[in-house]
Amino acid sequence: MTESVQRIYPIGTLGTPWGAAEKALWLSQQPVKRSYQAEVVSPLQQIMSAPALSACAELLSYGTLDYRTHQLGTYPLYAVKSRQFDATKPLLLVTGGVHGYETSGVQGALLFIREHFARYASIANVLVLPCISPWGYETINRWNPDAVDPNRSFVADGPSQEANAVLALLQQFPTPLVHIDLHETTDSDNSEFRPAKAARDGTVNNNWNIPDGFYLVGDTEKPAAEFQRVMIEAVSKVTHVAEADDNGCLIGEALQQFGVVNYAKKSLALCGGMTDALYVTTTEVYPDSPRATPEQCNQAQVAVICAGFDYALAATGVSL
């Protein structure tokens, strides 16, 4: 059952959208809690130095986030792509860290690069963006410093530097066959981020029950039910899958099949809707469960990527 509660957020006036002063106050309360350089960039560079991987992959700098107007400096953005790009082969796309606070999306992408990138690069073109929102990663935040959600900003000339950089990069590549976007649903969605969003927008906060377990969000316009089912089956061997609530829903959406709901991704300007990929899914790991360790969360992300890639490649006649 959806929990309908008006939680009073400590910034702003109830019913009035934030202005510049409220956004500045919010930003002043977002301290750095971990290091993008130490936890993402340095491990990525170390992974890429392995001879087997450097032979088939290259590290690509696709832009720099510039938040010097907020006295926050700059953040380099990185992707890993197949070194020998073959236009006759399909493109497999992974994105992580659109919401920087969703840790296993970032760390799961790094784990996939280290353990599986070379295998898929031998039969397809592979592109992985492990951490789209580095400031969000450092401050464990859903938004960027402008109080903008990058995952509602994947439109041309949108309000998010993070999303715009990704869209510019993808203009250099053909349409992917498959796009897997790595996310988490956390308890802080209800305790912090949904109340903050309601305060920012001057609306009423209606929390939903946080699902206890993993689930997927397919695309309403191309649900690809069997594709989703195969990935749920794979991840169920790593961690538990969320059961529907009493209304047959997850996060307020009707269950389509076990562990799967759908969103209209393009109309919501979500990362998962930014391409015309035939096969699309968004992962939702639940790291706050007492039944799941951080390593399980990372492995769950990897299990989905591999199962999704295997299904999509086989469905289009590529020999694995």
Side-chain angles (χ1 to χ4, degrees), residues 24-46:
L25 177 58
W26 171 83
L27 181 59
S28 72
Q29 297 177 2
Q30 310 306 314
V32 170
K33 299 174 181 176
R34 56 188 178 183
S35 170
Y36 171 63
Q37 177 65 39
E39 297 188 18
V40 181
V41 177
S42 292
L44 179 59
Q45 292 170 335
Q46 183 178 18

Side-chain angles (χ1 to χ4, degrees), residues 233-292:
E233 181 180 7
V235 83
S236 66
K237 299 173 183 176
V238 178
T239 190
H240 62 292
V241 176
E243 300 282 350
D245 63 21
D246 293 342
N247 296 322
C249 295
L250 293 171
I251 59 169
E253 296 295 322
L255 201 70
Q256 301 299 309
Q257 59 174 297
F258 179 55
V260 181
V261 296
N262 289 336
Y263 269 13
K265 296 191 174 188
K266 280 194 181 296
S267 64
L268 292 171
L270 300 178
C271 182
M274 69 177 172
T275 77
D276 291 322
L278 181 61
Y279 298 104
V280 176
T281 203
T282 300
T283 67
E284 294 289 353
V285 173
Y286 181 45
D288 296 315
S289 173
R291 300 164 57 192

Side-chain angles (χ1 to χ4, degrees), residues 27 34 57 94 112 158 175 190 211 217 245 256 268 275 283 295 297 304 308 312:
L27 181 59
R34 56 188 178 183
V94 176
F112 170 80
T175 298
N190 275 355
V217 182
D245 63 21
Q256 301 299 309
L268 292 171
T275 77
T283 67
E295 181 59 24
C297 292
V304 170

Side-chain angles (χ1 to χ4, degrees), residues 1-3 184-191 194 207-213 215 242-243 245 250-251 285-289:
M1 179 178 295
T2 300
E3 178 192 0
E184 294 180 344
T185 300
T186 72
D187 290 344
S188 61
D189 290 4
N190 275 355
S191 63
R194 291 185 64 79
N207 279 348
W208 49 49
N209 291 341
I210 300 297
D212 182 4
Y215 62 100
E243 300 282 350
D245 63 21
L250 293 171
I251 59 169
V285 173
Y286 181 45
D288 296 315
S289 173

